[in-house]
Amino acid sequence: MKRILILLLMFPALMQLHAQSEDKEAHRERIKALKTAYITQELNLSTRVAEKFWPIYNEYEAKRKNLHRREHVEMDISSPECIGEEQANSMLQEYLDVEREEYVIKKELFKKLKEIISAQDIIKLHKLEDEFHKKLIREYRAKKERDNSEEE
């Protein structure tokens, strides 16, 4: 009887956690869709070019995301004073390895993209990514400020 009661009490909490993870995933998908639309529009990609561009770009983004996950797993410490010199050296080496791998995948991206868009457009893409990221941060901060002012 106790087990059933515990399960019944835990069920809403588990559903809430599941809903939050779905919300996060839906939020990520909306951001990805906005980024896709923004870059497609700003680079003025034709349908034919976009069909070639997006698989290449999405592959690059997935590789980059995996690299950053790896980096953040290794760097997940609250205070640098809590680790020894040997572990710190290991973490620095991992950081450099990730940076090197990111350079390699970016170089590969540029090589593949040069087959379908101009070098000028690749430079513009780099600028657009940065602009989109900054815009996203501004929107997030503005939303956070609105939410904070509504709570008061």
Side-chain angles (χ1 to χ4, degrees):
M1 181 68 175
K2 282 185 180 180
R3 287 183 185 171
I4 293 172
L5 184 60
I6 290 172
L7 284 174
L8 288 174
L9 291 173
M10 289 180 66
F11 186 73
L14 291 173
M15 291 304 293
Q16 180 69 22
L17 285 175
H18 182 68
Q20 286 176 351
S21 67
E22 283 181 356
D23 287 348
K24 284 182 182 179
E25 189 58 36
H27 186 68
R28 283 188 193 106
E29 287 301 316
R30 281 196 308 273
I31 290 171
K32 185 177 178 181
L34 288 170
K35 184 177 181 180
T36 300
Y38 179 72
I39 290 173
T40 300
Q41 179 182 345
E42 294 299 315
L43 284 179
N44 199 22
L45 298 177
S46 69
T47 305
R48 188 176 106 313
V49 172
E51 287 174 356
K52 295 176 184 175
F53 174 89
W54 286 110
I56 294 168
Y57 187 81
N58 290 336
E59 177 186 4
Y60 160 74
E61 284 283 296
K63 288 178 180 178
R64 201 169 130 258
K65 186 177 179 180
N66 286 335
L67 276 178
H68 286 276
R69 255 194 213 121
R70 191 176 103 195
E71 178 181 30
H72 290 289
V73 166
E74 290 293 320
M75 296 288 196
D76 192 23
I77 53 170
S78 58
S79 175
E81 293 83 22
C82 295
I83 61 171
E85 191 64 18
E86 189 174 318
Q87 186 181 4
N89 279 322
S90 174
M91 291 173 75
L92 286 175
Q93 187 58 52
E94 177 67 12
Y95 177 77
L96 291 173
D97 291 346
V98 167
E99 289 292 316
R100 188 176 307 108
E101 287 179 46
E102 186 167 11
Y103 169 77
V104 168
I105 63 171
K106 188 166 259 188
K107 188 175 175 180
E108 181 183 327
L109 170 73
F110 291 169
K111 181 181 174 189
K112 288 179 179 179
L113 288 180
K114 279 186 79 174
E115 295 174 9
I116 57 172
I117 61 175
S118 70
Q120 288 176 326
D121 282 340
I122 295 170
I123 298 297
K124 188 175 180 181
L125 170 65
H126 183 68
K127 183 178 177 231
L128 291 171
E129 288 173 319
D130 191 44
E131 286 174 3
F132 184 81
H133 182 71
K134 286 178 182 176
K135 192 175 188 176
L136 202 60
I137 291 171
R138 279 194 305 270
E139 291 291 324
Y140 174 76
R141 286 181 181 154
K143 183 184 181 313
K144 196 171 182 179
E145 286 176 13
R146 282 192 306 270
D147 291 347
N148 286 340
S149 66
E150 289 175 2
E151 288 177 4
E152 293 174 357

